[in-house]
Amino acid sequence: MKPRWRLVVGLGLLTLMIGMVPVVGAQQNVILQLAVPQFMLETFTDEVLAPFEQQYGVQVQVVDGGTQTFFPTSAASDVTAHLEAIADYVSAADVVVATNDTVTVEATRAGYYLDLMPLANGDATLNVDDFYPALYQSFQWDRGLWALPISTSLNTLTYDQAAFDALGLAYPDPRWTLDDLAYAARQLTERDPSGTVTVPGLLVSNADGVALLMRSLLGQGFYDMNALPEAPMLATPQLEALLTSWQEMVDEGIVTVGFQEGANDLPMTIGTGFFGGGGPNNQQDTRVNAILPGGHAELDTQGVAVSKGTLYPELAYDLAKFLTSSPEATNNPFGLRPARVSMLGIQSSDTNNVPGGGFRFRNLNAATDALLDEALPTGLGSSEMRFSAYVAQAIQSMSSDGLDATTALQDAEANAVANLQTAADTGANTVITVAAPEMPVVLTAGEIALNFGYSSLFRLGGLPNEDQWQALIDEFVANDPQVGEINMDAGGDPRISGQDDAALYDCFILPTNSVSDMDLTTILNLDPYLNSDPNFDPNDMVSGVLAQVQQDNKTWALPLTLSPQVMEYDPQAFARAGVPEPLGGWTVDEFVNALEALKVYPEDPTPFAPQDSGTSLLMLIAAYGGTPLDYRTNPPTANFTDPATVDAIRQVLDLAKAGYIAYDSQQGGGFVVILGGGGSDIAPIRTQSFGGRGQGFGRGGGGGGGTATTTSDDYLITTYPTGLQYNAVSYSMYTAYISASAENPDACYRWISTIAQNSTVIGGMPAQRSAINDPTLLANEGQATVDAYLEFDRLLGDPNTITLVSLTTGASPSSFVLNLWLNQVFDDYVLNNGDLDADLAQAQIYADGYLECVAALPPVDVASNDPRAGFQQIAECATKVDPNFTSLIGFGGGGGGGG
């Protein structure tokens, strides 16, 4: 029997594949495992870990920790589920990347983590004084040290300076009391003529945010420091008084708890995102972060912990310590400041060539640095936020059950005590054992291994159908005459360039068509393989997709699946409104008739809530006969002032202004502004793009095209409305490539063609008609889905159909820039009642000058492997014609980064 495949994670193939490096004094055959959440795999690469391996003579195997274990169920709500998730996490590896959510007092009481205090106290090289004190103490309680910190972010109060200035109010101050906060919120609250609150003065995202505010105001922890182990102490007169006053503020309507659309337009918020005072790319943003009333901010700390089940506690501790001084680890996407003072200002080596040189989910600028300097000395780490989840539970009980503060806190404290006892009992009956590391497969004579990379746009959930991939690879390896092993790297980053993948793998899959952006010398022309393949028929390909991957009359990629942009609708809402369902598709007039019938009264939900970044508007504009950006030319033609286009734009945007379409502002934080009420979760019509995670239209995903099919939440699928002159479609496409450096390209072609014939492992609409008509697909997906795929194929072949593109569907950055000016026009007209004709005329001037400048640029050297070079050139052209261009782009963390 041939060996099974191995799933390898990370941006490159792991060190276990290249063997041990002999080192004097090496730990014989030791493999340490490091569990990393799936979305942080690009941080912990071979290059990052190599110095540790060389120093200690061990191998470090990175384990995909997924995401569910990284964000486990709160112990306050379900302690059993919480402990099960943490047990799974610490059983996966010797060392685990940790946060406030994974290293909890319940988990340490259960004995799931190794206490690092003895090792740290005996380590003269640790240099405890190099850590910010509050961060080093973040994971310390019960006289133990449960993780070493590597970095931190902040949770603070965010306020709008402009709103405060308009009322002459003093800005929030750390010395504020709850009464001071209430006064400001009361002044900032807006009411209608009847006295009903329309805009609260303060929004807190959830009860955890309220608990954070209470902890800051209380000035002490929610625990009894005189007890050992430290016990929860919630039912105190001081906290009862604070919660009572808070509930009075909620009842008055001046504060609200729970995230809502447009939250970041409110005057004060807690827990809705971290903003950097506008940032260098958005000077119009007047939101500012501030220390919470009471003088504290929460330290959202990232760290590294050691599993109690490790067989190598000293080596595992050494690895954790090593990572606290790793520039790549301390510059991870979630951190704003390294935990070590000595690491401040030391940037990562950017070995991944990711645009931006260190992507972050949070904004970082001078204002952020100043706030960090202010917040760190008094910051509240995990140790000081212990039992806050139970305070949040009390807050929820007061709101939902009408309990008074005393009763709610007593109940929450009793729950905390019971959960700690459950944790201790569970730990007494649980032995944590770290799973054995995967060992290299030994190939027999004549066998080869393929290094195969798979990048996906949907990375946060990991590889959701690993069993399907394993079955396909097992079958291929068992039947192929040459391939004995496939090393599949499913942690590929879609932000890195295709030629990077070509250097890493023999063959690889990208979630977009990247042919136009790649150095074609790094990949192989597939025509010789396609022409000699008796199973390949170019006429079997879905309309137009093969031409999409051809350049210079050569085929550079194999199309695998499409992810069409479609509409979903609620058939029950349609029935209640007496609206015919668009079972055979619909025209734009029928679509508008449905909107008007679905929203009769102002309080009715907004009928159509797009869930994309503007493509829906362009598709509707096309149905009205307008082509503001005509993608039938390359570069696209800007027709902003064409009379037919202006009329089409006005008709669509007037639907948004009238409350029939939920409008997604393209400026600032990107939160949906609902005009007329209702979010996408309750809107009768919404949008979706399917495919790419092992889900097709009919498998919890719905269908596309004229024939409707059911999604997992009872919504049905249909195409976008068609017009008299144009139809519009948009889709992304998964494509497969063979590296020019592949030693066995024939084997690579056999493998990627096998994937094409079994495209359900990727999901979405197969790129081959024969796969659409395959009885297996019919059995799995149903007739409605097959009909949907065929209808989309028909639309793609219709000469009146315009295919819209974006950065995720193959558009070049140069064409993306044109969208930014168009989005600015849309925003001004819908949100500010701007002059549409004047704005479009100005945008046309920008577009004409920009396209002229871009046309004169020298060709980008794609072989340079620097994806920033080309963007820098086009950004200079955009800024040349529009000096305010940088305020339109969200790259580089500007303006409204939100964690």
Side-chain angles (χ1 to χ4, degrees):
M1 178 179 294
K2 290 196 174 184
R4 295 167 65 86
W5 70 295
R6 293 186 295 118
L7 177 64
V8 186
V9 295
L11 283 181
L13 300 175
L14 293 179
T15 52
L16 67 93
M17 294 174 51
I18 59 176
M20 294 282 289
V21 177
V23 175
V24 176
Q27 304 289 326
Q28 187 66 31
N29 297 327
V30 171
I31 298 177
L32 284 179
Q33 297 182 89
L34 171 65
V36 177
Q38 204 276 339
F39 47 83
M40 291 177 67
L41 287 170
E42 64 265 29
T43 298
F44 299 91
T45 62
D46 292 351
E47 292 82 3
V48 171
L49 299 170
F52 177 83
E53 293 175 317
Q54 294 168 3
Q55 180 179 353
Y56 289 92
V58 301
Q59 290 178 305
V60 179
Q61 183 180 119
V62 177
V63 176
D64 186 346
T67 56
Q68 297 304 316
T69 53
F70 203 64
F71 301 107
T73 302
S74 166
S77 60
D78 189 339
V79 68
T80 300
H82 176 81
L83 292 174
E84 288 176 352
I86 302 303
D88 288 343
Y89 194 41
V90 298
S91 297
D94 303 276
V95 181
V96 297
V97 173
T99 68
N100 300 348
D101 295 316
T102 55
V103 179
T104 63
V105 65
E106 291 84 4
T108 59
R109 293 285 178 90
Y112 291 170
Y113 291 100
L114 182 70
D115 180 6
L116 303 180
M117 189 67 80
L119 291 167
N121 287 342
D123 184 358
T125 65
L126 178 61
N127 191 9
V128 172
D129 293 337
D130 188 36
F131 290 93
Y132 289 96
L135 295 180
Y136 188 66
Q137 295 162 11
S138 286
F139 298 108
Q140 292 189 38
W141 52 80
D142 296 341
R143 298 185 182 176
L145 171 63
W146 306 107
L148 292 177
I150 56 175
S151 61
T152 193
S153 184
L154 296 177
N155 286 321
T156 63
L157 170 75
T158 301
Y159 69 96
D160 186 348
Q161 284 185 330
F164 276 74
D165 291 343
L167 295 176
L169 293 174
Y171 296 149
D173 188 279
R175 294 167 295 182
W176 270 14
T177 64
L178 186 59
D179 288 341
D180 296 324
L181 181 64
Y183 174 80
R186 191 171 293 113
Q187 299 303 308
L188 292 163
T189 296
E190 299 179 16
R191 301 177 184 269
D192 63 19
S194 68
T196 302
V197 172
T198 56
V199 178
L202 168 66
L203 178 142
V204 185
S205 61
N206 51 37
D208 291 317
V210 181
L212 168 61
L213 174 63
M214 297 299 107
R215 171 60 185 86
S216 181
L217 290 164
L218 189 64
Q220 63 185 45
F222 302 130
Y223 60 90
D224 182 359
M225 66 175 57
N226 295 315
L228 188 65
E230 292 146 352
M233 187 171 65
L234 311 184
T236 65
Q238 296 87 346
L239 186 54
E240 291 168 6
L242 285 172
L243 290 192
T244 299
S245 297
W246 173 260
Q247 189 59 46
E248 291 171 354
M249 295 165 63
V250 172
D251 294 340
E252 186 182 348
I254 60 175
V255 302
T256 187
V257 180
F259 188 83
Q260 64 186 44
E261 304 290 0
N264 288 294
D265 295 325
L266 299 179
M268 287 192 294
T269 60
I270 296 174
T272 57
F274 191 87
F275 301 90
N281 295 331
N282 193 349
Q283 303 301 330
Q284 299 175 349
D285 190 352
T286 58
R287 291 166 292 181
V288 176
N289 300 294
I291 303 297
L292 290 163
H296 303 279
E298 182 181 17
L299 302 177
D300 187 2
T301 309
Q302 301 80 45
V304 276
V306 175
S307 170
K308 188 64 175 291
T310 182
L311 298 177
Y312 314 104
E314 292 83 6
L315 280 172
Y317 164 79
D318 287 332
L319 176 58
K321 181 179 68 171
F322 166 82
L323 292 173
T324 67
S325 296
S326 163
E328 287 76 17
T330 59
N331 282 280
N332 70 81
F334 289 93
L336 288 175
R337 178 70 65 88
R340 285 187 180 272
V341 177
S342 61
M343 297 303 296
L344 184 62
I346 299 179
Q347 298 300 313
S348 66
S349 58
D350 192 21
T351 56
N352 300 330
N353 275 324
V354 175
F359 169 77
R360 297 175 183 277
F361 288 107
R362 310 290 184 114
N363 187 24
L364 184 58
N365 55 28
T368 305
D369 270 338
L371 183 65
L372 281 161
D373 290 338
E374 180 184 2
L376 278 169
T378 59
L380 303 173
S382 184
S383 60
E384 285 303 315
M385 290 300 296
R386 270 176 295 158
F387 308 118
S388 63
Y390 298 95
V391 176
Q393 194 175 61
I395 293 165
Q396 291 172 326
S397 297
M398 292 175 65
S399 177
S400 61
D401 302 331
L403 298 183
D404 61 86
T406 300
T407 303
L409 286 169
Q410 288 174 345
D411 290 349
E413 184 174 312
N415 185 34
V417 171
N419 284 351
L420 290 174
Q421 186 59 52
T422 298
D425 294 341
T426 301
N429 296 290
T430 303
V431 176
I432 298 297
T433 303
V434 174
E438 295 185 7
M439 302 304 294
V441 174
V442 178
L443 299 174
T444 61
E447 288 187 330
I448 64 166
L450 291 181
N451 295 330
F452 168 61
Y454 175 52
S455 297
S456 171
L457 289 173
F458 307 96
R459 305 183 67 237
L460 292 184
L463 192 62
N465 59 334
E466 182 177 326
D467 56 338
Q468 288 181 300
W469 276 103
Q470 179 162 339
L472 182 62
I473 295 179
D474 282 348
E475 181 181 0
F476 178 82
V477 168
N479 293 295
D480 190 84
Q482 185 182 22
V483 178
E485 180 185 16
I486 292 179
N487 298 314
M488 178 178 177
D489 182 349
D493 190 336
R495 294 176 291 135
I496 68 175
S497 62
Q499 51 259 31
D500 283 338
D501 282 341
L504 289 170
Y505 312 114
D506 299 309
C507 36
F508 55 95
I509 291 175
L510 296 178
T512 60
N513 172 19
S514 299
V515 169
S516 62
D517 301 322
M518 291 183 64
D519 176 4
L520 299 182
T521 64
T522 66
I523 57 177
L524 292 181
N525 169 23
L526 299 186
D527 286 326
Y529 302 100
L530 297 173
N531 294 336
S532 61
D533 183 354
N535 297 316
F536 178 79
D537 179 3
N539 296 318
D540 185 43
M541 302 300 294
V542 166
S543 300
V545 298
L546 196 59
Q548 296 287 329
V549 294
Q550 293 175 336
Q551 190 167 309
D552 301 330
N553 295 316
K554 297 177 181 178
T555 306
W556 299 99
L558 181 62
L560 300 175
T561 66
L562 283 64
S563 300
Q565 182 83 21
V566 294
M567 281 187 171
E568 298 180 316
Y569 69 93
D570 181 356
Q572 296 180 1
F574 273 55
R576 288 192 298 268
V579 179
E581 295 184 35
L583 296 176
W586 46 4
T587 66
V588 69
D589 289 337
E590 290 170 336
F591 171 72
V592 173
N593 289 340
L595 295 183
E596 294 173 344
L598 289 164
K599 184 177 177 63
V600 178
Y601 302 104
E603 63 270 17
D604 288 339
T606 303
F608 178 41
Q611 295 170 278
D612 57 72
S613 58
T615 304
S616 293
L617 296 178
L618 293 178
M619 294 175 78
L620 291 175
I621 290 168
Y624 271 107
T627 55
L629 290 172
D630 191 344
Y631 287 99
R632 291 172 295 182
T633 63
N634 186 24
T637 301
N639 298 314
F640 298 164
T641 56
D642 173 69
T645 294
V646 174
D647 181 64
I649 292 174
R650 193 184 310 276
Q651 291 188 73
V652 173
L653 296 186
D654 281 347
L655 291 172
K657 294 179 73 171
Y660 292 111
I661 297 177
Y663 186 77
D664 184 359
S665 171
Q666 298 303 287
Q667 314 302 320
F671 291 95
V672 177
V673 180
I674 301 295
L675 303 181
S680 60
D681 55 338
I682 61 173
I685 309 171
R686 62 193 188 190
T687 62
Q688 187 57 274
S689 180
F690 294 102
R693 294 195 66 183
Q695 287 188 329
F697 280 121
R699 300 169 55 198
T707 303
T709 183
T710 306
T711 65
S712 58
D713 56 1
D714 295 329
Y715 272 67
L716 302 179
I717 302 303
T718 190
T719 52
Y720 274 76
T722 58
L724 293 176
Q725 186 175 0
Y726 299 120
N727 312 313
V729 296
S730 181
Y731 64 93
S732 59
M733 182 166 60
Y734 276 74
T735 49
Y737 305 79
I738 299 177
S739 171
S741 61
E743 294 183 2
N744 298 281
D746 291 355
C748 269
Y749 177 76
R750 293 196 300 273
W751 169 232
I752 64 174
S753 63
T754 298
I755 297 173
Q757 296 164 20
N758 297 270
S759 60
T760 54
V761 295
I762 297 175
M765 173 180 169
Q768 297 181 7
R769 295 189 179 104
S770 57
I772 297 175
N773 291 304
D774 187 278
T776 302
L777 182 69
L778 177 63
N780 292 336
E781 307 287 355
Q783 187 64 54
T785 298
V786 172
D787 290 344
Y789 291 153
L790 294 174
E791 171 65 9
F792 199 83
D793 181 20
R794 185 195 67 77
L795 282 173
L796 287 174
D798 189 328
N800 293 325
T801 296
I802 298 175
T803 300
L804 302 180
V805 297
S806 67
L807 283 179
T808 60
T809 59
S812 67
S814 60
S815 61
F816 168 72
V817 169
L818 298 170
N819 279 281
L820 296 177
W821 284 309
L822 193 59
N823 292 336
Q824 186 180 43
V825 173
F826 291 175
D827 277 3
D828 190 43
Y829 183 70
V830 177
L831 301 179
N832 305 319
N833 292 314
D835 187 327
L836 182 62
D837 294 282
D839 286 349
L840 285 171
Q842 182 60 63
Q844 186 71 55
I845 294 173
Y846 290 151
D848 291 343
Y850 166 75
L851 289 172
E852 182 180 354
C853 178
V854 169
L857 290 174
V860 176
D861 181 12
V862 293
S864 69
N865 211 22
D866 185 359
R868 289 165 286 192
F871 185 82
Q872 181 64 35
Q873 289 182 344
I874 64 175
E876 290 174 357
C877 279
T879 306
K880 179 179 178 181
V881 299
D882 178 10
N884 295 319
F885 168 74
T886 54
S887 68
L888 302 180
I889 59 177
F891 300 128

